[in-house]
Amino acid sequence: MDYLGEFELLVMLAVLRLGTNAYGMTIRREIVDVAERSASLGAVYTTLERLEDKGFLSSAIGETTRERGGRAKKYFKVSASGAGAVKRSLKSTDAMLSGAAWGVAR
Amino acid sequence: MTLRDQISRLFKWTKRDGRSGSYAAAYAVLKRYRKPLVYLDSTSFEMLLDEAGEIDVEKLRDALRLVCPKGNVERFVANFQKHGTGESDPIRGFVGGGSRALKLTVEGTPPPRVARFALLLIPKKNREHLIGDIEEEYRTVVLPEHGKACARFWYWEQTVLALGFSVWPFVKRILGLTAIWKLIGR
């Protein structure tokens, strides 16, 4: 069973949040704006490719626009196994969080 | 108010609106205050639709008020209602400027040429989409928000990181690190 790494989880959640508008740039913006974490497009694409290979994401070629220099967008969608993996990751995180002592050792 | 401040206000408005759920999809560029060019792409257009999928003129007006003098807002709205199609083609509404102004904004500050060539080294699988995304963000977000110098730096940064990420698996394979990583259970 494949588990998601931290950045993989962020990417999956960004794709879920964006719905039908999930492509490289919007996914990166979502991570930067919402998770307040820096992420390069290179990192995002490497992760997307890996998640696609694992079968957690599916992709479809979209439209071209002028701002993109006529290049097509690649839209991503979370698959059923991907959604399951996200739930598992969140569940295990939740389980570990409950009972975690937040005190800092001095 | 500087151009950067005006654009920043528009970005905040689109975020508050929350239709995209995330990033500011609409933007406006004032080439000069007296000759505003407001350029809406397909994504920003979506932000301006109401529940029924029709153009919400009040939303459009609100967005434009942040960046245009009042008279120009009304002229833009009139122009928009007359010519706006709602399709994914860019819709241009402006007072003065015309296609030349659009060209100056979208194409007038091209990304660094060497960086563009360097991006061709990325493996073919995602090359087109990755370069498209970098260019789109460069033109629609970074350039209007941060200016030419920062945008060029950003483009270079993204190029170097993209190359790094695409080359790293090959380097790892060459060095035999993959096998070692498997051995240590990574």
Side-chain angles (χ1 to χ4, degrees):
Chain A
M1 192 184 292
D2 268 324
Y3 286 92
L4 296 170
E6 189 215 354
F7 193 67
E8 286 177 334
L9 183 61
L10 282 180
V11 170
M12 292 289 284
L13 290 172
V15 175
L16 284 167
R17 285 173 61 92
L18 288 161
T20 54
N21 193 31
Y23 64 98
M25 178 193 139
T26 54
I27 294 168
R28 190 189 97 83
R29 299 288 327 163
E30 194 77 1
I31 293 169
V32 171
D33 292 345
V34 180
E36 294 178 355
R37 213 192 122 146
S38 65
S40 72
L41 275 161
V44 168
Y45 263 93
T46 307
T47 309
L48 287 168
E49 204 177 322
R50 193 166 56 238
L51 291 168
E52 210 180 348
D53 290 343
K54 286 179 182 177
F56 293 162
L57 291 176
S58 59
S59 64
I61 306 298
E63 77 278 10
T64 61
T65 62
R66 186 173 173 155
E67 310 89 71
R68 300 173 62 83
R71 296 177 184 89
K73 291 176 184 176
K74 190 175 187 183
Y75 288 105
F76 291 90
K77 213 166 79 177
V78 174
S79 65
S81 61
V86 171
K87 280 178 192 161
R88 274 198 305 278
S89 287
L90 293 176
K91 200 176 160 189
S92 56
T93 307
D94 274 350
M96 292 300 283
L97 264 176
S98 62
W102 291 98
V104 179
R106 295 189 181 187
Chain B
M1 191 187 290
T2 63
L3 171 61
R4 194 174 298 178
D5 290 337
Q6 290 164 2
I7 291 167
S8 166
R9 285 179 66 181
L10 183 65
F11 270 63
K12 279 177 190 156
W13 176 81
T14 53
K15 274 188 179 178
R16 261 207 317 272
D17 185 60
R19 284 190 70 87
S20 74
S22 58
Y23 79 116
Y27 65 95
V29 175
L30 292 181
K31 185 172 169 281
R32 288 180 193 165
Y33 202 69
R34 292 181 62 194
K35 283 188 178 177
L37 160 73
V38 179
Y39 170 80
L40 300 165
D41 69 2
S42 55
T43 324
S44 61
F45 185 83
E46 192 184 303
M47 308 273 302
L48 301 171
L49 300 182
D50 59 18
E51 296 300 322
E54 298 292 324
I55 301 159
D56 189 328
V57 175
E58 276 313 305
K59 279 185 179 177
L60 177 66
R61 217 171 250 138
D62 279 348
L64 295 177
R65 268 191 205 118
L66 298 173
V67 290
C68 297
K70 196 180 173 190
N72 291 348
V73 171
E74 295 311 320
R75 285 163 77 180
F76 177 85
V77 171
N79 189 12
F80 188 82
Q81 285 177 313
K82 193 173 170 188
H83 302 293
T85 61
E87 288 166 6
S88 59
D89 291 334
I91 293 164
R92 298 166 205 178
F94 41 80
V95 181
S99 59
R100 184 173 164 269
L102 181 70
K103 199 174 174 192
L104 283 170
T105 311
V106 176
E107 291 167 1
T109 313
R113 189 181 291 179
V114 180
R116 287 171 85 178
F117 279 115
L119 282 171
L120 297 175
L121 296 170
I122 289 171
K124 206 176 169 185
K125 189 179 177 190
N126 282 321
R127 187 197 298 154
E128 183 192 343
H129 316 296
L130 177 56
I131 298 176
D133 284 330
I134 294 178
E135 287 215 7
E136 186 180 350
E137 191 164 350
Y138 168 83
R139 287 195 164 118
T140 61
V141 180
V142 187
L143 193 58
E145 209 175 353
H146 299 292
K148 190 177 167 181
C150 274
R152 288 175 75 83
F153 177 81
W154 179 89
Y155 197 98
W156 264 111
E157 184 190 27
Q158 293 299 319
T159 303
V160 170
L161 289 170
L163 284 171
F165 276 105
S166 55
V167 167
W168 175 239
F170 298 108
V171 175
K172 227 166 52 169
R173 202 170 300 155
I174 291 165
L175 296 176
L177 280 177
T178 310
I180 296 168
W181 279 36
K182 273 182 186 165
L183 279 175
I184 61 172
R186 182 70 195 250

